[in-house]
Amino acid sequence: MAEEIEYKDPVEPEEKKGKLTATLLLVTLVSTVGSSFQYGYNVASVNSPAPFMQSFYNETYLERYGSLMGKDLETILWSLTVSLYPLGGFFGSLLVGPLVNTIGRKGTLLLNNIFSIVPAILMGTSVLSKSFEVIIACRLVIGICAGLSSNVVPMYLGEMSPKNLRGAIGVMPQLLITIGILFAQIFGIRMILGNSDGWPILLALTGIPAVVQLMLLPFFPESPRYTLLQKGKEDEAKKALKRLRACDDVDDEIKEMYQEDQSEKADGRLSVGNLCTFRPLRWQLISIIVMNMGQQLSGINAVYYYADTIYSQAGVPDGTVQYVTVATGSVNVLMTLAAIFIVDSWGRRLLLLLGFATCCTACVVLTIALVYQSTVHWMPYLSIACVIIYVIGHAIGPSPIPYVITTEMFRQASRPAAFMVAGSVHWLSNFTVGLIFEFLRKGLGSYCFILFAAICLATFLFIFFVVPETKGKTFLEISQIMAKKNGLDEITDSKEFQDLNPPMDYTTLEKEKADKATVTPM
C-alpha cells in the first residue's frame, strides 16, 4: 500500500516588524524638540504678555515722537505682530521643496535653526534696543522657521520609520507642538514670565531648543530614502538603516526603495506646478488640500482665542483664567499622546472621522450654549465642556493625522512638492482664520461656530468617501490604492496585488543599475 503523503499549504514567512530602537527614538526626540516644539511655543508665546508688549510699543513711540500712539496704529501693529507669524509659515512652506531636494531633510533642519536663534536673540534684546519693529520683523522670520519645520520634520521621520511605527512616530511632531503651546502658557503665567519684566525672556527662550538641535542632530543619519534614491549612495543608506533598525539585515527595505524608485522613473521629480496637473496624483493632492484646510478652518485657533472669553462668562475669575487655559493645554497634550498609542491600531481614517465628528458636534452644542448662556444658569458650564471636548476631538485626529497622511500618500519624487502644497494651504488657512475671526465674531456673534461646524462636517464627508486607510502599508501599496481612484493601474510589490502584478526581482533592479553605470555612448 502506497504511503499517503499529506499536502500542506506553504506557510508564508511572518512579516518582520520594525522596532523602536534607541537611535530612532533619539532622532525623533531631537528633531521634534528642536523644531516642532518651537512651532507650538511661538503660537502661544505672545498671548499672555500681550498687554505688556503693547505698553512697550506705546512707551517706545512716545519716547521717539513725543505723543501717544493712536488706537488704530496700535491695533495695526499688534495685528501684524500676531498675523506675520502664520504668513512667515507660508513663506517657509514655499522653501521646503528646493531645500530638502538640495541639502536633504537633516540639512534643512540644521539650516532652519538660523531662523530661530537670530530672532530669539533680537526679540530678547528688543527692550534694550528700544525697537518694537524688531519684534514684528522677527515674528515673520520665526514664522519661516515654523513653516519649514512643520513640513520637514514629518517628512524626515516618516521616511526613516518602519511602516508599522510610521503612524505613532508621525504624530510625535504634533505632540511636541502641543507641549510647546503648554510650555508657553505656563511660562506666560503672571508670576513667572508673563509680566512687564519677563516677557522679553519669554520670547527669547525659543532659541534654546534650536541650539540643542544644532548641537545634537549632526550625530544622527540623513533619511535613508533621500540618501539612496536622490543621492544614489547605497552604502550610506544601508549604514543609516542599520543604525536606525539596530540590525544588519536591511535588504528588504532597500529592495522596497528600489522598487519605489523603479515605479516612479517615468514620472521624474515633480515640481509644484507638475504636481497640480499630474493625473496619477490627482486625488492624493485633493485629499491633502482638503485635510489641511479642514484642520485650520475647523476653528481650532478661534476656539483657543475665544476660550478665555467663554471661561470669563462662565464665572471663572480673571486671575484664574490663565490657569484654566493651562489646564486646557494639558488636555491637548494628553490626547495627542493618546493618539500616538492608538494611531497604528485604530488607523488614520478612523481617528480623522472620529475627530471631525467630535469637533462638529462640539461646535453645534457650543453655539447653543453661548446663545442661552445668559438665560440658563448651567449653560456656561456646558460651554466650558464644549471647549474641552472640541480640543479632545481635534487632538486625536485633525491636528496630527494630516501630516502622517501627507507623508504616506506621496512617494519620493513627489513628496517635497506635496509638502509644499500642504504647508502652504495649512499656513494660509491659519492666516485667514486669524485675520477674519474677529470680524466673524462681531458680525455673527455666537453663531460663528456654526460656520466651523459646517466645515468640520464637509471635511468628515470628504474623508469618509475619498480617503483610504493607510496604516501598515508600504508607500507602494498606498500608491496602488490611490491609483484605482485616479482611474489608473500601477505595478506594486504589495501582497494584496502580487498575484496580478508580480514584483520585479531585486537582482534585476541591481543588474539594471549596474548596466546603466557601465553603458558608454557609441
Side-chain angles (χ1 to χ4, degrees), residues 166-167 348 404-410 470-471 475 478:
R166 207 163 53 222
R348 290 75 157 129
V404 180
I405 297 251
T406 304
T407 301
E408 294 181 326
M409 277 193 170
F410 294 87
T470 59
K471 73 167 184 176
F475 295 122
I478 297 164

Side-chain angles (χ1 to χ4, degrees), residues 335 342 346-361 389-390 392-394 396-398 460 463:
M335 294 313 300
I342 62 178
W346 289 27
R348 290 75 157 129
R349 187 170 180 271
L350 177 59
L351 290 182
L352 281 170
L353 292 172
L354 186 61
F356 277 110
T358 302
C359 291
C360 179
T361 305
I389 291 169
Y390 180 96
I392 289 171
H394 218 277
I396 62 170
F460 173 92
I463 292 167

Side-chain angles (χ1 to χ4, degrees), residues 65-144:
Y65 304 109
S67 62
L68 289 172
M69 186 184 294
K71 203 68 181 173
D72 289 343
L73 179 58
E74 182 183 337
T75 303
I76 290 170
L77 290 176
W78 186 249
S79 296
L80 285 172
T81 304
V82 175
S83 61
L84 283 181
Y85 179 69
L87 190 62
F90 168 68
F91 292 138
S93 297
L94 298 180
L95 297 174
V96 170
L99 286 176
V100 297
N101 285 327
T102 305
I103 61 175
R105 283 63 167 150
K106 187 177 83 168
T108 301
L109 290 178
L110 290 172
L111 177 68
N112 195 31
N113 291 309
I114 295 171
F115 297 114
S116 174
I117 295 171
V118 173
I121 295 170
L122 292 175
M123 288 191 295
T125 57
S126 57
V127 173
L128 295 175
S129 63
K130 297 182 179 179
S131 173
F132 57 79
E133 295 90 348
V134 164
I135 297 175
I136 296 171
C138 285
R139 288 286 291 176
L140 177 68
V141 176
I142 214 156
I144 294 172

Side-chain angles (χ1 to χ4, degrees), residues 205-231:
L205 286 177
T206 187
I208 294 177
V211 172
V212 171
Q213 179 172 264
L214 194 59
M215 292 171 61
L216 297 181
L217 193 59
F219 295 100
F220 293 96
E222 175 59 274
S223 158
R225 285 181 180 273
Y226 170 80
T227 305
L228 179 68
L229 302 184
Q230 289 179 243
K231 304 302 287 184

Side-chain angles (χ1 to χ4, degrees), residues 478-504:
I478 297 164
S479 181
Q480 177 67 44
I481 293 168
M482 294 305 296
K484 290 187 172 184
K485 292 185 181 294
N486 291 313
L488 302 167
D489 294 318
E490 182 173 303
I491 294 174
T492 180
D493 65 340
S494 168
K495 290 179 180 177
E496 299 170 32
F497 303 105
Q498 62 185 0
D499 55 330
L500 300 175
N501 299 308
M504 184 176 290

Side-chain angles (χ1 to χ4, degrees), residues 151-166:
N151 291 287
V152 179
V153 173
M155 188 190 311
Y156 179 51
L157 296 180
E159 291 180 0
M160 291 199 297
S161 307
K163 64 181 181 180
N164 60 298
L165 295 177
R166 207 163 53 222

